[in-house]
């Protein structure tokens, strides 16, 4: 019984720590900023015209938003005026998704601890 009480207090500590971690991860869900799915990156490519300067190393550079949808990757070119905005919103989306994954993982850990607590606290009528 004494051992159970020690274990119980450890489990309660674990649970408190998980609640704190959960609160931290949930912050992303309470934001209001728009999210844009995708990744912004710079592309450097050759156009294929034999006379073009890109054949001599001056590659065509453009910034794109890469969005995968049903397994297909769509590249949307970004006008310079929207670059900062799209960078921020796509980063916000990635942060949101990372936080969501954390919420899910922490939730699973919580259930494990909660079930252990139940096992210790239960008694027969
Ligand atoms: Zn070219």
């Amino acid at each position: 019984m004494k051992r159970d009480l020690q274990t119980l207090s450890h489990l309660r500590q674990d649970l408190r720590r998980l609640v704190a971690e959960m609160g931290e991860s949930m912050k992303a869900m309470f934001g209001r900023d728009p999210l844009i799915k995708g990744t912004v990156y710079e592309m450097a490519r050759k156009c294929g015209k034999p006379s073009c300067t890109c054949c001599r190393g001056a590659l065509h550079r453009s910034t794109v938003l890469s969005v995968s949808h049903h397994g297909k990757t769509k590249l949307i070119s970004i006008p310079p005026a929207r670059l900062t905005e799209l960078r921020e919103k796509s980063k916000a989306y990635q942060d949101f998704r990372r936080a969501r994954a954390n919420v899910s993982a922490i939730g699973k850990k919580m259930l494990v601890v909660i079930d252990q607590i139940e096992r210790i606290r239960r008694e027969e009528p």
Side-chain angles (χ1 to χ4, degrees):
M1 193 60 201
K2 186 154 185 300
R3 232 207 66 195
D4 275 356
L5 287 177
Q6 271 179 0
T7 311
L8 183 59
S9 72
H10 284 138
L11 289 169
R12 284 161 50 90
Q13 278 172 28
D14 289 348
L15 192 56
R16 252 184 224 109
R17 187 175 42 78
L18 289 168
V19 168
E21 279 177 34
M22 181 65 99
E24 200 53 44
S25 294
M26 286 297 285
K27 281 180 184 168
M29 281 66 191
F30 287 101
R32 294 176 190 271
D33 295 342
L35 311 169
I36 289 179
K37 182 180 173 179
T39 312
V40 173
Y41 69 92
E42 192 181 57
M43 243 176 28
R45 58 190 173 80
K46 292 180 180 179
C47 66
K49 289 180 197 146
S51 60
C52 187
T53 53
C54 66
C55 287
R56 295 186 294 278
L59 299 177
H60 298 280
R61 293 187 181 276
S62 56
T63 313
V64 294
L65 180 74
S66 158
V67 188
S68 88
H69 187 67
H70 294 304
K72 281 182 186 166
T73 303
K74 205 167 111 186
L75 294 179
I76 303 162
S77 76
I78 301 176
R82 293 197 65 198
L83 181 56
T84 306
E85 174 215 339
L86 292 178
R87 269 216 173 99
E88 283 171 8
K89 290 176 181 173
S90 63
K91 175 167 185 310
Y93 176 80
Q94 286 153 30
D95 291 346
F96 185 91
R97 293 295 298 184
R98 203 173 304 117
R100 185 192 183 280
N102 286 341
V103 165
S104 165
I106 295 164
K108 282 179 192 146
K109 287 184 196 168
M110 279 178 163
L111 291 178
V112 170
V113 174
I114 288 167
D115 289 347
Q116 287 173 326
I117 289 175
E118 181 185 337
R119 229 171 284 135
I120 291 175
R121 289 180 54 192
R122 263 187 62 183
E123 61 178 39
E124 296 308 314

